[in-house]
Amino acid sequence: MTRILLTRHGHVDGIHPARFRGRADLPLTDRGLAQADALAARIRARWKPVAVYTSSLQRCVVTGARVAKVCGIPSSVHEGMGDIDYGAWQMRTHDEVGKEAPDAYRLWRRAPHLMRFPGGESLQDVVARTANALRLVLDRHSGETVVLVGHDSVNRALLLQLLDQPLSAYWKLAQDPCSLNEVEILADGDVRVGFINDTSHLDQLDRR
C-alpha cells in the first residue's frame, strides 16, 4: 500500500480577500509559517514518510522544507505540482474579475471544466501535470508514505483523479491552507481515502 499525504501550503497574502494568486511567488506569512510547523509536527507524530515533493513556488517549498526537516527526509520540487496559470487574471481580486468579465467569471464558478483562463491554463492542463507527479510517486515509492505539498487547484485536481470524479466537481472539494488529506493506493489499484481537508492540527493556532 502506498500512502499519500497531500497538503496545501500555509497562509499567504491574497487568500482573504480572494485573489487569483496562481504563479505569483508569494512568501508565507507568519501565520503560514506557524501552520507549516503545526502540520509538520502532526505528520512526524503519526506517520513515517520517506520523501516530500512540492511545487516550485516558495510557499510550497518552505512548507515542505519544514515537514522534511522534522521528519529527517529529503524534499524536492516537482513541476507537476505548480499552481494553475491564471494568465491575465493573476493577482486580480475575484470581485474585480467578476465585474470586468462577468460571463467568464460565471463560467469559472459554474462550469470550471469548460474554462481556460485568458493567456493561461485550463483544469485539463493541471490534471495532466499532476498526473505526472502522481505517477512518479507510485513508481518511485511503492509501499511507502510520501508527502505532496501543492496548491488549492492542484490538490483538487489530484483528489478528483484519485476519487475518479469529473472535473465538473471541482468546487465540491475544499482545500484550506495546510489542510491534510490522506489517500491510500492499495496493491490492486483500489483507492481508500482516510480524510480530506483535515485542519484539526491547526485548532490551537486559531484560538490564539
Side-chain angles (χ1 to χ4, degrees):
M1 176 191 70
T2 303
R3 177 182 291 109
I4 295 175
L5 300 176
L6 176 64
T7 186
R8 184 185 175 193
H9 60 78
H11 181 269
V12 296
D13 289 335
I15 290 180
H16 300 294
R19 291 182 180 271
F20 289 94
R21 296 172 305 280
R23 302 293 176 83
D25 201 8
L26 303 171
L28 294 180
T29 60
D30 289 343
R31 179 182 176 187
L33 292 170
Q35 289 173 336
D37 287 339
L39 169 72
R42 180 181 181 185
I43 290 175
R44 181 187 181 188
R46 181 168 177 181
W47 297 281
K48 296 185 181 299
V50 299
V52 178
Y53 293 94
T54 80
S55 157
S56 63
L57 296 175
Q58 63 171 309
R59 53 191 183 270
C60 290
V61 171
V62 172
T63 300
R66 296 208 167 198
V67 174
K69 182 178 180 179
V70 301
C71 294
I73 57 177
S75 180
S76 57
V77 166
H78 191 290
E79 292 300 331
M81 297 295 294
D83 204 359
I84 190 169
D85 185 352
Y86 289 117
W89 291 11
Q90 183 166 297
M91 289 310 293
R92 306 290 302 281
T93 68
H94 285 233
D95 287 344
E96 288 173 345
V97 173
K99 292 175 181 176
E100 295 179 15
D103 291 341
Y105 184 76
R106 191 177 303 112
L107 182 66
W108 169 234
R109 297 300 304 184
R110 295 183 179 178
H113 56 298
L114 301 180
M115 179 67 185
R116 176 174 290 278
F117 293 97
E121 289 185 309
S122 67
L123 285 182
Q124 286 81 1
D125 295 324
V126 179
V127 166
R129 290 194 286 101
T130 55
N132 286 334
L134 184 58
R135 278 191 288 269
L136 177 140
V137 168
L138 296 178
D139 289 345
R140 187 177 294 177
H141 299 288
S142 178
E144 298 177 319
T145 297
V146 176
V147 178
L148 298 182
V149 186
H151 305 265
D152 186 11
S153 61
V154 165
N155 290 9
R156 291 175 193 247
L158 272 169
L159 288 168
L160 289 173
Q161 293 175 69
L162 289 164
L163 296 170
D164 197 22
Q165 296 298 304
L167 278 178
S168 58
Y170 178 86
W171 290 115
K172 295 181 179 181
L173 294 171
Q175 287 294 285
D176 295 321
C178 275
S179 61
L180 193 60
N181 311 274
E182 182 190 40
V183 182
E184 297 172 346
I185 296 94
L186 307 184
D188 60 4
D190 283 351
V191 174
R192 183 169 59 199
V193 177
F195 46 80
I196 291 178
N197 199 42
D198 187 339
T199 58
S200 57
H201 48 287
L202 306 179
D203 286 350
Q204 293 298 321
L205 298 180
D206 293 338
R207 297 192 186 103
R208 290 180 182 176

